[in-house]
Amino acid sequence: MLSSGLPSVLLVLTVLQLSWSLSDEEKKIILNEHNRYRSQVSPPARAMMKMTWDTHLEAVAQSDAENCIWENGNGDYGRNVFAVAPTQNLQDAVKGWNEEKKFYSLVTGKCAPGQMCGNYKQLVWADTEHVGCGAKLCEKIRGIEAQNHRLLVCKYSPLGNKDGQMAYGKGPPCSQCPSGTVCKNKLCEEQKNAAGTPRTCSGLLLFLVSSATLVGLLL
């Protein structure tokens, strides 16, 4: 009886484990919270990019979360972490990162002495356009005193939180958005044509078609 029931037990454990990974709705919440705080920076940003979800970053973040280790970001991507207690939700994680703004100076690009603000800097780093996150229920998170918490890891590209550099340039919202973007809710968003493809790509396609037509006429 014990051996025959083992697969069922393993199945239940597997389902419980998967239930602690991020759902599509939770991914949407995390992304929306990032963009909400980015649009509300004070003083306002002259060129704050709107973030989009990246599945590659999500996979990297999930791999990190599986280790249940609390550590600072390094390498090619930015990294924010948060230990989510059973009574908390994911909005609390992004809110916690945003609350570090009281320790950050936009003038010097540095944190107040003895304080942490790196999570906030990455959250509102103007040039960062992509985010992907993963989560794991950890019995113990190595590096901090936290047990039976959900470790949330978010990865960012291009990475931000660079020492001595300002997270963003202040000025009238969207006053210096990059070419090919439009201003929506104080964020610079990639402009798309009616077909849903980036306008920059359609412009390139038009150039190639026109060039091919010209060559045909010359021949």
Side-chain angles (χ1 to χ4, degrees):
M1 291 294 293
L2 180 60
S3 60
S4 63
L6 186 58
S8 298
V9 173
L10 291 176
L11 178 60
V12 171
L13 291 176
T14 300
V15 171
L16 288 175
Q17 174 120 351
L18 289 174
S19 69
W20 284 96
S21 60
L22 295 175
S23 66
D24 289 342
E25 181 61 28
E26 288 176 322
K27 296 173 190 177
K28 182 179 179 180
I29 289 173
I30 293 172
L31 178 61
N32 288 344
E33 288 296 280
H34 274 74
N35 283 322
R36 181 168 73 89
Y37 286 120
R38 288 168 70 84
S39 69
Q40 294 176 351
V41 292
S42 181
R46 60 177 181 249
M48 180 72 71
M49 296 302 298
K50 180 179 181 180
M51 280 189 177
T52 59
W53 191 266
D54 187 285
T55 54
H56 172 70
L57 293 177
E58 176 189 344
V60 175
Q62 184 62 45
S63 178
D64 272 16
E66 294 291 334
N67 295 322
C68 291
I69 299 176
W70 186 277
E71 60 183 3
N72 294 326
N74 52 54
D76 296 331
Y77 308 119
R79 185 180 192 266
N80 279 1
V81 293
F82 195 92
V84 184
T87 56
Q88 291 181 298
N89 54 43
L90 293 174
Q91 287 97 324
D92 292 330
V94 188
K95 179 182 178 181
W97 296 334
N98 187 66
E99 288 177 346
E100 292 181 5
K101 64 185 177 183
K102 59 180 175 287
F103 302 124
Y104 176 66
S105 170
L106 191 61
V107 176
T108 65
K110 297 180 180 180
C111 307
Q115 301 293 342
M116 290 181 55
C117 69
N119 292 308
Y120 172 73
K121 286 175 65 179
Q122 179 58 85
L123 175 65
V124 299
W125 198 267
D127 294 336
T128 298
E129 298 184 58
H130 309 289
V131 60
C133 307
K136 167 77 173 180
L137 178 61
C138 302
E139 292 185 8
K140 180 176 176 57
I141 300 175
R142 284 183 286 170
I144 60 172
E145 296 296 326
Q147 294 183 340
N148 298 317
H149 277 53
R150 196 180 187 191
L151 179 63
L152 175 68
V153 178
C154 288
K155 291 283 190 174
Y156 302 87
S157 179
L159 64 82
N161 191 16
K162 299 175 183 178
D163 291 338
Q165 295 187 26
M166 294 187 298
Y168 65 89
K170 65 179 180 179
C174 297
S175 59
Q176 293 186 16
C177 280
S179 176
T181 64
V182 294
C183 182
K184 291 186 178 181
N185 193 29
K186 300 182 180 180
L187 298 176
C188 305
E189 181 177 348
E190 184 179 17
Q191 189 173 12
K192 297 181 180 180
N193 59 24
T197 56
R199 187 171 298 275
T200 52
C201 293
S202 65
L204 177 60
L205 180 60
L206 179 62
F207 170 76
L208 293 175
V209 171
S210 300
S211 299
T213 302
L214 179 59
V215 171
L217 292 174
L218 291 175
L219 291 176

